[in-house]
Amino acid sequence: LGRFTLTGYCNCEKCGGHESGLTASGTTPVPGRTVAMAGVPFGTQLLINGNVYTVEDLGTPYGHVDIYFNSHSEALAFGLQSAEVYRLN
């Protein structure tokens, strides 16, 4: 798909979390699996830095992938990165 901006997010209020704790697709987010990205359908698998993620949430424009983490501190520690993103399905 190209070179994308990567950031981290969690379910906290600062990251736009809500009481249900569910993603926009209705799944429970899982670190190492869940990402948020617009412009592709839910369930799309992405290869990023050797890891396979599944688009399960919305909130970022196309060209930006938000990777789910368990805590706000982990999401902040991930920072702002960029990487080649490949669509697997």
Side-chain angles (χ1 to χ4, degrees):
L1 296 173
R3 192 146 195 93
F4 282 57
T5 299
L6 308 177
T7 53
Y9 79 108
C10 68
N11 266 340
C12 81
E13 202 171 294
K14 291 179 184 177
C15 289
H18 45 84
E19 289 182 23
S20 75
L22 299 177
T23 65
S25 67
T27 63
T28 299
V30 176
R33 181 190 79 199
T34 303
V35 295
M37 183 178 141
V40 297
F42 291 140
T44 299
Q45 291 190 315
L46 305 174
L47 179 64
I48 305 169
N49 293 331
N51 298 308
V52 177
Y53 297 95
T54 303
V55 177
E56 298 179 334
D57 216 346
L58 295 174
T60 60
Y62 188 80
H64 182 157
V65 179
D66 217 3
I67 299 174
Y68 180 79
F69 289 91
N70 268 331
S71 70
H72 193 70
S73 60
E74 288 176 294
L76 284 178
F78 182 77
L80 177 67
Q81 302 182 25
S82 67
E84 291 295 322
V85 175
Y86 302 91
R87 184 176 177 163
L88 298 179
N89 61 350

